Amino acid sequence: MTGRSLRLRRLRRLTPGRGEDGAGRRRGATPKVVALGGGQGLSASLTALRRITGDLTAVVTVADDGGSSGRLREELGVLPPGDLRKALAALCGDDDWGQTWARVIQHRFQSAGDLHEHAVGNLLIVALWEQLGDPVQALDLVGKLLGAQGRVLPMSAVPLELQALVKGHDPARPEDVDTVRGQATVALTPGEVLSVQVVPSDPPAVPEAVAAVLDADWVVLGPGSWFSSVIPHLLVPELLDALMVTKARRVLSLNLAPQPGETEGFSPQRHLEVLARHAPKLALDVVLADEAAVPDRESLADAAKRFGAAVELAPVARQDGSPKHDPELLAAAYDRIFRMHGRIGPWR
């Protein structure tokens, strides 16, 4: 048995039994949901999920190296706080307190000095990390301050570097394959991303994130930047192990449109194909897609079958024509999936 397997088994022993809390009591009236991703895609999912469950955990990528996060990461050697901040903002309530704090932590300074474009929430999170010396405890404290309707955890305990093999990254050499480094660069590459990896290649997972996946009723992966926000979760070995052995049902939420640069020209089924290349043993239960974004339903269904998954099509896009999810419609789609595909749980 490998050291990783031993650590995973130990976490399973420490995780409360399904349907119980840490004291052995039955859980509340809603499913335990864990959402994995980063950036705007994860924010959209969390904004929807908090409407239908009171037991929600976000597990967030930590490979960002651009903007305010990148500057803080480089200067202080900390985890990039930006995607964690966005997840916390998405979990803020719709009352005055929640919306006020959501705006405050998302506020960016505008100046001619060093504070330019730094987000208030990034500085608050990093300050608490330095004060407490514990990233998880600090994020829990920020969530308590905001009245966040859920918990936010980093997927790994160390900042990660994203590396990608990209065909045609240099337009002058369209057939050459280059190694592109950094999440911000990968996300904007003009070439075709063939695969991604993280450095270090065997990063430690945050134990609380692994435990949350093992104890979940549902795990939601995506939507979001496919190579830089969704797939990186599958490159943290302990987290991938947890995703494969958890008794939770797993739903993959597809994007509404290809992302310029990173997934330019991708069909919905191609998103599944590249996911399978990075995690060939991963099983899924449901693939959720917007019905208007799937021109070839049969091909998507065939691609989903390779994961053992059913396809659920639903109108989840905003009505203004933008490639953004409508929180209410996405919440309705998740709720229907949980009811139709979920096992009989303590919340029903």
Side-chain angles (χ1 to χ4, degrees):
M1 182 177 292
T2 65
R4 197 168 81 212
S5 298
L6 286 170
R7 292 193 297 272
L8 188 62
R9 177 172 288 186
R10 190 177 302 115
L11 276 168
R12 289 188 71 88
R13 288 200 302 266
L14 294 173
T15 301
R18 294 180 60 79
E20 299 177 351
D21 62 16
R25 295 182 297 264
R26 297 295 291 178
R27 289 201 298 260
T30 57
K32 275 193 172 184
V33 180
V34 176
L36 290 77
Q40 297 301 323
L42 178 60
S43 294
S45 200
L46 294 174
T47 303
L49 287 167
R50 67 175 170 81
R51 287 167 160 78
I52 59 174
T53 180
D55 202 334
L56 178 59
T57 300
V59 178
V60 184
T61 183
V62 287
D64 190 9
D65 62 350
S68 172
S69 286
R71 290 157 60 192
L72 290 168
R73 171 178 174 166
E74 181 178 4
E75 183 174 345
L76 301 174
V78 296
L79 295 172
D83 284 350
L84 296 161
R85 180 199 81 244
K86 292 173 185 175
L88 284 163
L91 290 175
C92 286
D94 294 322
D95 57 358
D96 288 343
W97 179 273
Q99 290 306 295
T100 297
W101 275 110
R103 290 192 298 270
V104 168
I105 65 170
Q106 296 281 56
H107 176 77
R108 292 184 183 273
F109 296 104
Q110 301 296 315
S111 74
D114 291 340
L115 275 177
H116 181 64
E117 282 296 309
H118 269 308
V120 170
N122 288 357
L123 301 179
L124 174 62
I125 291 168
V126 172
L128 281 168
W129 283 345
E130 292 193 343
Q131 287 283 318
L132 300 177
D134 183 337
V136 171
Q137 183 183 359
L139 288 166
D140 285 344
L141 189 57
V142 177
K144 184 177 181 180
L145 170 67
L146 304 180
Q149 298 174 10
R151 192 181 194 193
V152 173
L153 299 168
M155 72 176 184
S156 176
V158 298
L160 304 178
E161 179 188 71
L162 194 69
Q163 294 185 359
L165 292 179
V166 180
K167 181 180 179 181
H169 177 67
D170 182 351
R173 299 180 290 110
E175 296 302 316
D176 288 359
V177 176
D178 296 308
T179 298
V180 176
R181 294 176 172 82
Q183 183 183 36
T185 305
V186 171
L188 297 175
T189 180
E192 177 188 357
V193 180
L194 303 177
S195 65
V196 291
Q197 63 180 22
V198 293
V199 178
S201 60
D202 190 8
V206 168
E208 292 87 349
V210 174
V213 170
L214 292 175
D215 193 42
D217 295 305
W218 277 93
V219 175
V220 177
L221 183 63
S225 299
W226 216 242
F227 287 103
S228 53
S229 292
V230 176
I231 290 177
H233 288 80
L234 308 178
L235 307 179
V236 179
E238 289 175 323
L239 193 56
L240 177 58
D241 287 347
L243 286 167
M244 290 193 297
V245 304
T246 181
K247 294 180 180 178
R249 292 294 179 97
R250 288 152 290 206
V251 57
L252 178 70
S253 187
L254 293 178
N255 294 332
L256 296 170
Q259 182 176 344
E262 190 171 317
T263 54
E264 187 73 44
F266 272 35
S267 64
Q269 55 269 25
R270 189 172 177 189
H271 284 76
L272 292 181
E273 291 165 2
V274 299
L275 194 77
R277 289 206 301 268
H278 288 84
K281 296 181 180 180
L282 180 67
L284 299 169
D285 293 282
V286 180
V287 173
L288 171 63
D290 184 80
E291 56 188 7
V294 182
D296 186 346
R297 300 186 180 190
E298 184 176 348
S299 293
L300 179 59
D302 288 342
K305 285 179 183 177
R306 297 169 195 165
F307 291 91
V311 173
E312 286 290 338
L313 301 178
V316 294
R318 293 184 181 179
Q319 300 303 304
D320 59 7
S322 64
K324 295 181 179 180
H325 288 84
D326 180 281
E328 297 293 342
L329 292 176
L330 186 58
Y334 282 142
D335 186 57
R336 184 169 59 255
I337 288 170
F338 294 171
R339 291 172 181 269
M340 292 177 58
H341 296 272
R343 301 176 179 90
I344 299 299
W347 67 92
R348 297 297 179 204

